[in-house]
Amino acid sequence: MESISELNRRHGIPNQVSFCQDANGFIHVDVNNPQASARIALQGAQLTSWAPKGEEAVIWLSKEASFLKGKSIRGGAPVCWPWFGPHESQGDFPAHGFARTALWEISGVEMQADGTTRLVFRLPETSFPTNQWPHATTLENRMTIGSHLEVDLVTRNLGSQPVTIGQALHTYFQVGDIRTIRLLGLEECVYLDKVEGGRKIQKGAVNFTQETDRIYQGAMQDILIEDPLMQRQIRITKNGSASTVVWNPWIEKSEKLGDLGDEGYLHMVCVENANAAEDRITLAPGAEHHLWVRYSIAPVPR
Ligand code: TA6
């Protein structure tokens, strides 16, 4: 792994992009451009902070998040790949795949003409555990940081056989109070209810009164997180994702998880662009798939 000074020499941009290492040896990329600030951990190429200038942080990070090598970070935008949830047959394989706890490399940083910063991370072949994933695939996480945030998760199949992957951008959004927000854009969608079981149809806006863990299927339109307390809407526009996962652990599950902090669940909601369950994708040899999303902020209409 390159040293911090080497990373800053090769990829740093004065007053805009810099690399630092914390006491646990975690390497972070800090972005500060005229439109926004952000932080990304090299482990998992995981965005852990994003705030457009003049806005409260849009991405939630637990106050109890532990930055320990090989351990998942509670919050931010974890990359779940090449499976979502528990592995279908190997109980000892990590939940949500190995990409989010693996060490990635940064392969490109550039200031864009529109004032945004583009960063490209790649998962090096050495980070693929062949016992868990004996396939010739590559994975890139391409981010554009500005007053909006774009993420493009690119999978390539370099092998001679088709390969099936499950994936998600498991993003935690900061909200004023989970009990007062609404999600718009999932109306009439079928979802798998992982708390109460079964398939249901979403009637009206999604609101939160208990543990909520759902995989919506076929939701292609934009989703709005309407937050009256923070007086804003977060718009989620996506492409290449047939599933949308909505999750809040609520009180009891939060206590079991132990790393959301006191009442942390009140201030987060996960809306995840995914290809999960029946929506997993099969890539033909030589094929490429893009899981793309854009987050943007608008004031709540009065
Ligand atoms: O995306 C929702 C979910 O699959 C929940 O079932 C819960 O397990 C959550 O992800 C968090 O998983 P993690 O492994 O990050 O604790």
Side-chain angles (χ1 to χ4, degrees):
M1 180 172 65
E2 289 180 283
S3 69
I4 292 298
S5 53
E6 192 60 16
L7 285 166
N8 278 312
R9 185 186 65 76
R10 288 185 59 215
H11 298 293
I13 300 177
N15 304 317
Q16 182 162 148
V17 177
S18 63
F19 294 77
C20 66
Q21 192 159 21
D22 66 20
N24 292 332
F26 253 68
I27 294 178
H28 303 273
V29 193
D30 285 319
V31 177
N32 191 1
N33 65 36
Q35 298 184 21
S37 62
R39 170 170 273 203
I40 303 105
L42 211 47
Q43 174 174 294
Q46 184 162 338
L47 184 86
T48 54
S49 162
W50 169 57
K53 289 292 192 265
E55 269 294 338
E56 293 279 320
V58 179
I59 299 297
W60 178 85
L61 182 69
S62 170
K63 292 183 175 58
E64 306 290 322
S66 57
F67 287 84
L68 299 173
K69 288 185 181 174
K71 298 288 181 205
S72 59
I73 302 164
R74 182 66 63 198
V79 172
C80 301
W81 188 95
W83 59 83
F84 178 81
H87 188 273
E88 59 184 354
S89 59
Q90 303 297 321
D92 58 335
F93 285 8
H96 291 322
F98 51 80
R100 66 173 173 169
T101 51
L103 188 60
W104 291 54
E105 292 174 347
I106 187 146
S107 56
V109 178
E110 59 179 321
M111 273 192 299
Q112 310 251 79
D114 63 359
T116 59
T117 309
R118 179 169 163 79
L119 304 107
V120 178
F121 299 86
R122 61 183 290 275
L123 189 60
E125 284 68 25
T126 50
S127 287
F128 282 76
T130 47
N131 66 319
Q132 296 180 18
W133 191 248
H135 305 292
T137 49
T138 64
L139 183 63
E140 275 192 355
N141 190 352
R142 303 172 182 171
M143 292 181 197
T144 301
I145 311 276
S147 51
H148 60 268
L149 176 77
E150 285 187 19
V151 180
D152 186 8
L153 197 62
V154 185
T155 302
R156 279 198 196 95
N157 179 6
L158 304 185
S160 57
Q161 297 301 319
V163 67
T164 297
I165 62 163
Q167 57 183 183
L169 196 59
H170 193 299
T171 305
Y172 291 72
F173 294 94
Q174 174 164 256
V175 296
D177 184 328
I178 188 69
R179 297 166 299 192
T180 67
I181 69 164
R182 298 193 309 160
L183 299 189
L184 308 175
L186 292 167
E187 296 82 358
E188 300 307 312
C189 286
V190 172
Y191 65 90
L192 305 176
D193 187 329
K194 290 169 59 181
V195 175
E196 297 177 354
R199 277 175 203 280
K200 300 176 183 173
I201 294 180
Q202 179 61 41
K203 294 300 177 190
V206 180
N207 49 52
F208 298 84
T209 57
Q210 62 181 52
E211 181 184 353
T212 305
D213 193 350
R214 303 173 181 177
I215 302 179
Y216 287 84
Q217 296 176 312
M220 299 303 179
Q221 60 188 26
D222 285 10
I223 292 170
L224 285 177
I225 303 173
E226 200 174 65
D227 188 338
L229 275 185
M230 295 191 79
Q231 294 187 335
R232 69 183 182 190
Q233 283 182 337
I234 299 170
R235 178 176 293 272
I236 301 168
T237 305
K238 69 173 193 171
N239 199 0
S241 149
S243 323
T244 301
V245 180
V246 173
W247 180 60
N248 183 283
W250 217 249
I251 302 164
E252 196 179 323
K253 183 74 174 284
S254 281
E255 285 163 1
K256 279 189 194 145
L257 289 169
D259 59 357
L260 278 96
D262 289 344
E263 299 202 326
Y265 78 96
L266 284 175
H267 303 294
M268 52 73 60
V269 65
C270 283
V271 180
E272 308 161 32
N273 300 303
N275 289 297
E278 293 94 332
D279 294 327
R280 289 185 305 162
I281 58 164
T282 296
L283 277 180
E288 180 174 287
H289 178 271
H290 292 251
L291 177 67
W292 178 89
V293 66
R294 180 175 60 230
Y295 305 140
S296 51
I297 305 294
V300 171
R302 295 198 180 278

